[in-house]
Amino acid sequence: MHGIGHGTGISSEELSRLSSLSELGRRAHERRGEGDLSDAAESLVRKVVEANPDDYTLWNYRREWLLSLKGDAHDRLVKVWNDELRLTEKALLRNPKAYAAWQHRVWLLAEAEGMDIDLATRTGFFEKELALCSNMLKMDARNFHAWAHSERVSKIAGKHEPARVVEYTEQQINADFSNYSAWHYRSVNLAEGIPAEDDTALDKLLSEEVDRLRQAFYTDPDSQSAWFYYRWLLNGAPYYSGGKTSDLFNIKDEFLKDELKACQELIDLEPNSKWPLLTKVYLLRRLGMEADAEDTIIKLVEIDPMRIGYYRYLLSSSTMGDGTGCFDRENVSKCAELKYH
């Protein structure tokens, strides 16, 4: 109505707080520009990053200040490091997804040795950190920040054990087939510890992984996490090591044919489930069965019209990574004629 102001939805108290924080941030950035590494500057920056943990520049500024303390008394350094870890905890309580705060925490653990903090204290840091990650994952098994942090910390501490990670991911996957983080870190760690030349062990591992996926598919065929992991397996489970990318498994056509048959069995039970059909397209193209793949894509358009543009793209080009073209003008026309429901 005329004469009535429209509010911003933010209270005057919040506006005042944000204004004060903005001013503090401006002053902190000025101090950094001046190269001020005094305790007064540190105190100012502490206030800002605790309230706004996403400010990468000010976390970098804190690292400059921390490095300037090298050579100070050991007891003081230990106190400062503990205080800094607590600061990141406060920051992450405000925003658990603040990448800059997580990175600062990793830096603190990695840099402790360079600051001449003794081994016993550093070991205590790592044990506390890994326990923290474990507790966070108990509260939320899908917390990808906790998964990533645990992986980084265990490597810095020299305690990274891929076999234990794989075992842990199995527990989490059995509890929830939709746990994308667990599937991802299973893929990251699966290749380590398996000799590439041990064909018997690799065949056994591939069979076990596929059996596990079968359970996930039949429990919830629309859970995309398991299907992403499956596609990774079908591609040979590529992993990066020693400066190059290698395939863990040598996937042969006979295996792909068996998987296509199994995929069709699931489609017979769940004919309108997107992921089995999309995987069938991938398998058909890997086996050079382009006409059947195109028919399956038409079926996908019928059950998933919101993604008609993507399916038209599949029909008109090769996007499955097999290097072959797929262009049937009749099918493209059929796809173009289908309308949103």
Side-chain angles (χ1 to χ4, degrees), residues 147 159-171 189:
W147 279 95
K159 295 184 177 182
H160 183 61
E161 299 178 42
R164 290 186 62 181
V165 177
V166 170
E167 181 181 352
Y168 181 69
T169 62
E170 183 172 350
Q171 296 170 11
N189 289 277

Side-chain angles (χ1 to χ4, degrees), residues 109-176:
L109 296 167
E111 195 62 32
E113 182 176 2
M115 294 295 287
D116 298 326
I117 293 176
D118 68 274
L119 178 60
T121 302
R122 299 198 312 271
T123 301
F125 287 160
F126 288 122
E127 289 176 350
K128 179 182 177 182
E129 204 70 9
L130 291 172
L132 174 67
C133 291
S134 178
N135 289 332
M136 291 176 72
L137 289 171
K138 286 178 182 176
M139 292 187 289
D140 179 7
R142 298 189 187 199
N143 186 334
F144 73 90
H145 288 285
W147 279 95
H149 192 63
S150 177
E151 189 88 354
R152 294 190 193 105
V153 170
S154 63
K155 287 181 178 178
I156 294 170
K159 295 184 177 182
H160 183 61
E161 299 178 42
R164 290 186 62 181
V165 177
V166 170
E167 181 181 352
Y168 181 69
T169 62
E170 183 172 350
Q171 296 170 11
Q172 298 302 314
I173 288 167
N174 288 339
D176 180 5

Side-chain angles (χ1 to χ4, degrees), residues 86-104:
R86 280 192 289 271
L87 172 62
T88 61
E89 288 177 17
K90 291 179 181 178
L92 289 168
L93 283 173
R94 178 170 290 276
N95 180 8
K97 296 183 179 181
Y99 286 89
W102 282 109
Q103 186 57 41
H104 189 67

Side-chain angles (χ1 to χ4, degrees), residues 160-333:
H160 183 61
E161 299 178 42
R164 290 186 62 181
V165 177
V166 170
E167 181 181 352
Y168 181 69
T169 62
E170 183 172 350
Q171 296 170 11
Q172 298 302 314
I173 288 167
N174 288 339
D176 180 5
F177 289 127
S178 296
N179 190 331
Y180 184 88
S181 294
W183 286 111
H184 170 70
Y185 282 99
R186 187 173 187 83
S187 72
V188 169
N189 289 277
L190 192 67
E192 299 188 47
I194 302 289
E197 65 277 4
D198 191 341
D199 291 339
T200 301
L202 288 172
D203 289 344
K204 180 174 182 291
L205 178 60
L206 180 58
S207 177
E208 291 171 349
E209 293 302 294
V210 170
D211 286 345
R212 182 173 295 103
L213 284 160
R214 293 269 190 277
Q215 297 177 44
F217 296 156
Y218 279 90
T219 301
D220 183 4
D222 294 322
S223 177
Q224 64 184 24
S225 301
W227 290 104
F228 285 166
Y229 185 83
Y230 186 45
R231 177 68 65 86
W232 175 74
L233 282 181
L234 294 176
N235 274 324
Y239 66 97
Y240 185 79
S241 178
K244 65 177 182 178
T245 301
S246 305
D247 289 339
L248 181 60
F249 303 116
N250 179 22
I251 302 297
K252 300 176 181 177
D253 282 356
E254 281 305 311
F255 173 79
L256 295 176
K257 289 175 183 177
D258 289 342
E259 292 309 297
L260 178 59
K261 180 180 177 182
C263 194
Q264 184 59 53
E265 290 173 356
L266 180 56
I267 292 170
D268 292 340
L269 294 173
E270 300 284 347
N272 293 321
S273 183
K274 165 189 169 180
W275 292 102
L277 287 166
L278 195 57
T279 302
K280 179 182 176 181
V281 172
Y282 172 81
L283 289 166
L284 287 168
R285 283 191 160 178
R286 281 284 298 271
L287 292 167
M289 303 167 70
E290 297 291 351
D292 290 336
E294 291 176 11
D295 290 339
T296 306
I297 293 172
I298 296 299
K299 172 65 175 177
L300 278 163
V301 177
E302 294 171 354
I303 67 169
D304 187 23
M306 288 293 290
R307 295 170 181 81
I308 189 171
Y310 172 63
Y311 299 129
R312 289 185 66 192
Y313 177 64
L314 288 186
L315 284 169
S316 63
S317 64
S318 173
T319 61
M320 295 300 189
D322 58 0
T324 62
C326 177
F327 190 89
D328 184 309
R329 293 187 182 279
E330 182 181 353
N331 270 339
V332 173
S333 297

